[in-house]
Structures are given as structure tokens and as C-alpha cells.
């Protein structure tokens, strides 16, 4: 499987504003996520959850403070794109699959230019089998259900053996039963791969499945509580 252990995430005194400082998205946020930990990030709309996820994913830089992942300070990276390609897997609320590609072809997209075609195809087959979609590899993404599309998105996020998964409301557009399937899949991946997971969610029941819940309010870390993460049978 060539799995790699998860990474430590350390956020220290991070602040981030927009519109020349008029909108404070994050204010002096500090927390640490252990390697292999599953942390849920919750809070009301507009509290800074997605902004924080973007900073940990090196899609943006903090105005103050630091974000360190696996010992690397992200604001000091000369090539954040390499960090995103090799260390992080992203999953969003809407799967963002390319409609003209099959499930297997979508999974191969992050590997373009990083692996030969035969290796990409083999890796895609393995990942789709891992998420229970081996029989849908050749199907157009437009023919997949919402839950199937999210499983393809998770397979795609795992393509380059990431050590950190960042998920922004991955179950937000799904019914509760399908959302539960996605969370069980994530818990299984955490167990089998040791990957670190940071997931934005507004679903209290889902947040309680995580090891810990980080709650933001008005751009500040309001509280951090331990969840009741359950190991897959």
C-alpha cells in the first residue's frame, strides 16, 4: 500500500484578515494535532473554518503566527505546490470531479506528471477498490451517486500517498446515511494508513466520531473537546 504515517500539525498564534484588515477571519488561533489524529473543526458560518483549512493546506498564508506541518513551516516554503502535491490530500463539500472523465481517470489527475501511465492506472484501480468502487472505475462521474462521487474524491485525495487529509464539509451535500458511510470510510483509512485528518463539519453527530473537536467562534478557538472516535470493526 506504501502508506506513510501521519504528520503533526502545529498552529501557533495565527491571525488572518481580509479586505486590508477590515475583516478579521482568524484571531490568535493556537492548537496542535498529533500524527494520525482525527480532528473535527466546527463553528458557525463565517467563523473562519475554511480560512484555517486553507492555511494548513498552504493555499494561503497567515498575516501573523505560523503553521507547521511535519516540521515544515508553511509560510517559509519556496514551493507550496510541491507540499500540496506530496503531503496533503484535499476533499471538498462538492466532489469537484471532472465530468468528462471516468472515475478512474479522475483519481489519476493528481498523479499527472508524477508517475507513468501504467503506474497511474494501477494506483487508481487499487484506490477505487479500497473505497469500494472497483466496479465503477470506468463509469462517467456524471452517472455516480453523491456518495459515490465523494468516495472517488477521497480516492483522488489519496493518490499521491498524503500524510494529511483536509476535508471541507465532505458530507454537507449528502443524506445522513450516506454521510455516515463516508465517515466510516475515513475512520478506516485513518486506521489502515495512519493519516492525520482535519475535517470541517457542522454536523454534531459526525464531529463526535472524531478524536477531538476544535470549535471556532468569531475567528477564535472557543474550545477543544475530546470526541468518542470509534475504531472500525
Amino acid at each position: 500500500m506504501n502508506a506513510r504515517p501521519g504528520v503533526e500539525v502545529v498552529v501557533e498564534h495565527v491571525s488572518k484578515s481580509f479586505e486590508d484588515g477590515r475583516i478579521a477571519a482568524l484571531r490568535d488561533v493556537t492548537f496542535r494535532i498529533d500524527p494520525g489524529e482525527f480532528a473535527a473543526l466546527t463553528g458557525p458560518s463565517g467563523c473562519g473554518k475554511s480560512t484555517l483549512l486553507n492555511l494548513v493546506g498552504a493555499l494561503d498564508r497567515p498575516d501573523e503566527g505560523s503553521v507547521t506541518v511535519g516540521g515544515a513551516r508553511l509560510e517559509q516554503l519556496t514551493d507550496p505546490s510541491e507540499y500540496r502535491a506530496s503531503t496533503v490530500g484535499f476533499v471538498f463539500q462538492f466532489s469537484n470531479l471532472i465530468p468528462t472523465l471516468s472515475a478512474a481517470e479522475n483519481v489519476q489527475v493528481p498523479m499527472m506528471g508524477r508517475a507513468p501511465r501504467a503506474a497511474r492506472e494501477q494506483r487508481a484501480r487499487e484506490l477505487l477498490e479500497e473505497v469500494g468502487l472497483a466496479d465503477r472505475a470506468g463509469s462517467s462521474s456524471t452517472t455516480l451517486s453523491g456518495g459515490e462521487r465523494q468516495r472517488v474524491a477521497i480516492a483522488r485525495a489519496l493518490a499521491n500517498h498524503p500524510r494529511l487529509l483536509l476535508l471541507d464539509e465532505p458530507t454537507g451535500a449528502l443524506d445522513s446515511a450516506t454521510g455516515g458511510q463516508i465517515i466510516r470510510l475515513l475512520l478506516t483509512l485513518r486506521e489502515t494508513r495512519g493519516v492525520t485528518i482535519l475535517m470541517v463539519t457542522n454536523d454534531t453527530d459526525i464531529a463526535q466520531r472524531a478524536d477531538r473537536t476544535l470549535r471556532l467562534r468569531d475567528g477564535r478557538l472557543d474550545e477543544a473537546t475530546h470526541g468518542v472516535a470509534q475504531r472500525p470493526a
Side-chain angles (χ1 to χ4, degrees):
M1 187 183 297
N2 196 26
R4 298 187 295 166
V7 289
E8 179 186 61
V9 177
V10 180
V11 174
E12 295 183 294
H13 303 294
V14 161
S15 296
K16 180 67 178 179
S17 297
F18 297 99
E19 296 189 10
D20 296 327
R22 290 193 296 272
I23 299 177
L26 296 170
R27 310 165 190 249
D28 195 27
V29 173
T30 295
F31 65 87
R32 174 179 179 271
I33 303 174
D34 292 331
E37 186 175 12
F38 184 176
L41 183 61
T42 69
S45 178
C47 70
K49 302 187 298 296
S50 294
T51 298
L52 182 54
L53 211 66
N54 288 341
L55 296 180
V56 177
L59 294 170
D60 205 348
R61 294 174 180 264
D63 297 332
E64 298 178 7
S66 66
V67 179
T68 304
V69 178
R73 287 190 58 167
L74 302 189
E75 62 272 18
Q76 296 177 351
L77 294 178
T78 57
D79 185 9
S81 64
E82 177 58 26
Y83 160 78
R84 291 192 294 269
S86 63
T87 302
V88 184
F90 293 92
V91 181
F92 302 98
Q93 178 175 353
F94 301 102
S95 58
N96 295 336
L97 301 183
I98 300 173
T100 56
L101 300 183
S102 69
E105 290 167 339
N106 269 285
V107 175
Q108 293 179 52
V109 168
M111 297 181 277
M112 295 295 184
R114 301 180 67 88
R117 179 176 178 178
R120 296 196 308 265
E121 291 176 345
Q122 175 64 24
R123 177 80 176 141
R125 286 193 296 269
E126 293 171 351
L127 287 169
L128 287 173
E129 182 175 2
E130 188 171 357
V131 300
L133 289 176
D135 61 336
R136 301 288 269 155
S139 300
S140 167
S141 60
T142 59
T143 68
L144 303 176
S145 69
E148 287 173 334
R149 286 195 294 270
Q150 279 299 64
R151 281 189 278 164
V152 172
I154 292 171
R156 181 182 58 189
L158 296 170
N160 291 325
H161 307 280
R163 303 173 67 190
L164 171 65
L165 280 183
L166 300 177
L167 305 103
D168 196 351
E169 293 279 8
T171 65
L174 305 176
D175 61 73
S176 59
T178 306
Q181 293 174 357
I182 296 300
I183 296 305
R184 287 192 292 274
L185 172 60
L186 292 173
L187 289 168
T188 298
L189 291 172
R190 192 272 302 272
E191 288 300 304
T192 58
R193 294 173 172 273
V195 65
T196 305
I197 298 175
L198 177 59
M199 178 183 68
V200 169
T201 182
N202 282 321
D203 189 314
T204 303
D205 292 336
I206 287 176
Q208 289 179 344
R209 301 293 300 276
D211 297 311
R212 187 155 51 108
T213 298
L214 305 168
R215 180 173 176 81
L216 285 175
R217 183 182 297 275
D218 298 327
R220 299 182 184 276
L221 188 63
D222 187 46
E223 62 181 8
T225 59
H226 290 283
V228 290
Q230 300 177 17
R231 304 301 195 223

